[in-house]
Amino acid sequence: MFVRITTDQTSRPNSLKHFRLASSSNPIVNLGEYTYKKGKEIYGEKEPAKYVYLVTRGAVRSYKLLSDGRRQIGAFHLVGDIFGLENGGTHRFTTEAVVETTLRLMKRQSLELVAEKDTLVSRDLLGLTTSNLQHAEDHMLLPGRKTSLEKVAAFLLEMDERLTAAGKISLPMSRRDIADYLGLTLETVSRAVSQLHKAGILEFIGSTQREIAILDRGLLARIDLHN
Amino acid sequence: MFVRITTDQTSRPNSLKHFRLASSSNPIVNLGEYTYKKGKEIYGEKEPAKYVYLVTRGAVRSYKLLSDGRRQIGAFHLVGDIFGLENGGTHRFTTEAVVETTLRLMKRQSLELVAEKDTLVSRDLLGLTTSNLQHAEDHMLLPGRKTSLEKVAAFLLEMDERLTAAGKISLPMSRRDIADYLGLTLETVSRAVSQLHKAGILEFIGSTQREIAILDRGLLARIDLHN
DNA sequence: CGGGGGCTTGAGGCCACTCAACGATAGTGG
DNA sequence: CCACTATCGTTGAGTGGCCTCAAGCCCCCG
C-alpha cells in the first residue's frame, strides 16, 4: 500500500502549511475530478463527510450561516489545498465554489482504512488536521486586530503568501466574501483597499479590482502588526 | 503498553469534546503534578513543546501578544482539559495560570513514541487535535457576531457548558481576560454583563462578580444566535 | 486603615455600519 | 454592434456602538 500525504515545509516561519497527496493517482482512493460551477455547493453543513477534496483549479469558500442570515466564512481553499477531512465524520461547514473550480475526490473511508494499518499515514492525517488547526488559530487572532485596515492588510498578506503568481495577487473572491471572512462589511473592505491604494502600498492591474500588486510588503506587515 | 486517550462524547451536539487520559497513573508518561501560582507562566510562545498538560485544578489562559501590547487570548483550559500538544514541536501560544492551578505533566515524546507503534493511540492524538480544531473553529465564528452582547452571551454559554457546577458558573478569569478572549475592552464586557443582569437573564451570587447563575438560558442562546 | 486590584458607570469621540447613489464591467440578446 | 441588465465595486452622508478616558465603588489583604 502506498498512500502518503507529505508536508511542504518550505514556506515562511508563520505561514500556512500546504499538503500534497503523493497518491493522487492511486485508483483505490482517487475517484477522479469534478468541476463545479461558480457558486455551486460542494457539501452542506452537517452532511456526512464521504469525500476528501483536493483543489486543482479555482477556489472554495467554507462558511457557516447564522440564524439572521449573516455568513461567516471560516476559510478559503485554494489550488493545492486539501479540505473536507472531518474527524467526526460530519461536515462542520458548508462549502461552495467561489469561481469555476475543479476538485479531485478521494474516499474518506479508504484513507482512514489505510491510516488504520499504516502509522505513517495516520501521522500525516494528523499533520493535515494540525495544518487546519494552525490556520484556525491564526484566524482566531483576528478579533484582536482593531481597525479594518489591519484586518484587510492581514488578509492581503495571507493571500499573497498563498496564491502569489509572479508578484501579482489574483483574488478569486468578491469584496463580500472578504468581508464575511474578516467580519466586516463589503463597503468597509472596499474603503480599506482604496486607502491602501491611495497610500501607494498596492496597485490595481487590469480592468478588474481583483488583480492586485503589492508594492510595499513591509509597510503592509507593519499595518497588520501580526506578531 | 497501555496508553489510551478516550473521547467523552456525551456532550451536546455542538459542544466541545473533553478528553480523559486513562493512563494518567502510568509512570512512563506521567511525570507527576505541579502547582502554578496565579499569573505564573507555564510555557512561552516558540518554546519547544516538551510536555503535555492536564488541568486537575484551576484554569489556564493561552494567548499571543501583539507588537503594540495587545493580548489575544485564544483559549481557556479548564479542569479536565489537556493542552500543550503541538504537532510541530513548538508552542504557538504562551500559557499562564489564571488562578492557582495544578497540572499533571506528561512527556510529549513518550506519547508520540507510543503513538508510533499503536495506531489506536495515534488516532486518539488526532482526536485531541480535532477537538482543539473544533474549538478554534467555533472561536473563528466570533467576528461574525456583531454586538458585544452577542459575544458575551456566547462566552457565558461556553463557560456554562464547560464548568457548570450545579447551576452556577464560577468564572476563574477577570473581565480583562474575557475581553481579550472576545476582542473587546473590559469596560464593554462589564457593560454587557450588567445589561444581562438588568434584563434578568443572570444573577450574581456572593460578594464577587465572578459567580454567576444563568436564569434564562434560552434567552441567552437567542441573543447569541449561534446557528 | 490605607492601598491596590477588580469592577462598574459615565461622558465624549471615533470608527465601522447603514443606507444610498453612482460607476464600471461582463454577459445577453436583439 | 449596441442597448439592456445584473453584478460588483466605489464613494458619500449620517448614525450608532464600541473605545477611550476618567471617576468612583467594593472587596480583599497587608
Side-chain angles (χ1 to χ4, degrees):
Chain A
M1 198 42 140
F2 187 66
V3 179
R4 292 277 286 117
I5 301 174
T6 55
T7 69
D8 174 11
Q9 296 276 15
T10 59
S11 43
R12 279 159 263 181
N14 242 335
S15 76
L16 302 166
K17 284 175 200 135
H18 297 154
F19 287 80
R20 210 154 288 130
L21 196 60
S23 70
S24 55
S25 57
N26 187 324
I28 296 179
V29 282
N30 183 16
L31 293 173
E33 294 196 334
Y34 288 88
T35 294
Y36 294 78
K37 287 226 165 59
K38 177 181 168 182
K40 189 78 198 304
E41 178 174 314
I42 298 156
Y43 55 76
E45 192 181 342
K46 290 177 184 164
E47 282 182 11
K50 296 184 64 174
Y51 306 106
V52 178
Y53 306 83
L54 167 68
V55 182
T56 60
R57 189 175 60 101
V60 172
R61 59 176 166 253
S62 168
Y63 67 90
K64 281 190 179 181
L65 243 35
L66 293 154
S67 54
D68 66 344
R70 278 180 271 159
R71 182 184 66 162
Q72 176 64 44
I73 294 181
F76 292 108
H77 307 292
L78 309 177
V79 172
D81 289 349
I82 293 173
F83 70 96
L85 179 69
E86 315 281 353
N87 192 246
T90 305
H91 289 299
R92 289 193 293 268
F93 289 86
T94 301
T95 50
E96 287 175 357
V98 175
V99 291
E100 182 154 312
T101 298
T102 304
L103 302 176
R104 186 165 292 163
L105 275 69
M106 291 160 284
K107 262 213 148 67
R108 194 181 77 98
Q109 221 179 359
S110 308
L111 268 180
E112 288 190 346
L113 219 71
V114 177
E116 195 88 19
K117 290 173 191 152
D118 187 339
T119 311
L120 282 174
V121 172
S122 178
R123 271 170 69 95
D124 287 337
L125 286 183
L126 175 58
L128 228 178
T129 304
T130 301
S131 170
N132 288 337
L133 175 57
Q134 219 157 332
H135 177 263
E137 284 174 345
D138 282 347
H139 205 63
M140 257 180 8
L141 298 180
L142 201 118
R145 295 191 171 93
K146 273 197 171 48
T147 70
S148 61
L149 208 60
E150 279 180 73
K151 292 179 184 172
V152 171
F155 173 77
L156 290 174
L157 285 171
E158 182 191 344
M159 287 304 129
D160 184 42
E161 265 189 13
R162 293 176 60 190
L163 44 67
T164 192
K168 180 186 73 175
I169 309 178
S170 293
L171 299 173
M173 69 289 287
S174 69
R175 298 291 191 258
R176 165 158 292 282
D177 286 336
I178 300 173
D180 289 348
Y181 181 64
L182 298 176
L184 299 169
T185 59
L186 65 96
E187 294 97 328
T188 301
V189 171
S190 179
R191 275 183 249 269
V193 173
S194 293
Q195 202 175 330
L196 292 172
H197 182 212
K198 278 172 202 149
I201 293 175
L202 58 83
E203 196 73 46
F204 292 111
I205 299 173
S207 58
T208 75
Q209 291 95 331
R210 297 197 186 177
E211 311 241 306
I212 294 174
I214 295 181
L215 303 178
D216 194 336
R217 203 165 270 102
L219 231 167
L220 248 200
R222 237 171 303 143
I223 290 174
D224 177 21
L225 49 81
H226 173 299
N227 216 348
Chain B
M1 196 42 141
F2 187 67
V3 178
R4 292 277 286 117
I5 301 173
T6 55
T7 68
D8 175 9
Q9 295 276 14
T10 61
S11 42
R12 281 159 260 182
N14 243 335
S15 77
L16 302 167
K17 285 175 200 137
H18 297 154
F19 287 80
R20 209 154 289 132
L21 196 59
S23 69
S24 55
S25 58
N26 187 324
I28 296 179
V29 283
N30 183 16
L31 293 173
E33 294 196 335
Y34 289 88
T35 295
Y36 294 77
K37 287 226 163 58
K38 177 180 170 182
K40 189 77 198 305
E41 177 173 313
I42 298 156
Y43 54 76
E45 193 182 343
K46 289 175 185 165
E47 281 181 12
K50 296 182 65 175
Y51 305 108
V52 178
Y53 307 83
L54 168 68
V55 183
T56 60
R57 188 175 62 101
V60 173
R61 60 176 166 253
S62 167
Y63 67 91
K64 280 191 181 181
L65 243 35
L66 294 153
S67 54
D68 67 342
R70 277 180 271 158
R71 182 183 65 162
Q72 175 65 43
I73 294 180
F76 292 108
H77 306 293
L78 309 177
V79 172
D81 289 348
I82 292 174
F83 70 95
L85 179 69
E86 314 281 350
N87 194 244
T90 304
H91 289 301
R92 291 193 293 268
F93 289 85
T94 302
T95 50
E96 286 174 358
V98 175
V99 290
E100 181 154 311
T101 298
T102 303
L103 302 176
R104 185 165 294 164
L105 274 68
M106 290 159 285
K107 262 212 148 66
R108 195 181 76 99
Q109 222 179 0
S110 308
L111 269 180
E112 287 189 347
L113 219 71
V114 177
E116 195 87 20
K117 292 175 190 151
D118 187 339
T119 311
L120 282 175
V121 172
S122 179
R123 271 171 70 95
D124 286 337
L125 286 183
L126 175 59
L128 229 179
T129 303
T130 302
S131 170
N132 288 337
L133 175 58
Q134 219 157 332
H135 177 263
E137 284 174 345
D138 282 347
H139 205 64
M140 257 179 9
L141 298 180
L142 201 117
R145 295 191 170 92
K146 272 197 176 48
T147 70
S148 60
L149 209 59
E150 279 180 73
K151 292 179 184 174
V152 171
F155 173 78
L156 290 175
L157 285 171
E158 183 192 342
M159 287 304 129
D160 185 43
E161 265 190 14
R162 294 176 61 190
L163 44 68
T164 191
K168 178 187 74 178
I169 309 179
S170 292
L171 299 173
M173 70 288 287
S174 69
R175 298 290 191 258
R176 164 157 294 282
D177 286 336
I178 300 173
D180 289 348
Y181 181 64
L182 298 176
L184 298 169
T185 60
L186 65 95
E187 294 95 329
T188 301
V189 170
S190 178
R191 276 183 249 268
V193 173
S194 293
Q195 201 174 331
L196 292 172
H197 182 210
K198 279 172 200 148
I201 293 174
L202 58 83
E203 196 71 48
F204 291 113
I205 300 172
S207 58
T208 75
Q209 290 95 332
R210 296 198 187 178
E211 310 243 305
I212 294 174
I214 295 181
L215 303 178
D216 195 337
R217 202 165 272 100
L219 232 168
L220 249 200
R222 237 171 304 142
I223 290 173
D224 176 22
L225 48 80
H226 174 299
N227 216 346

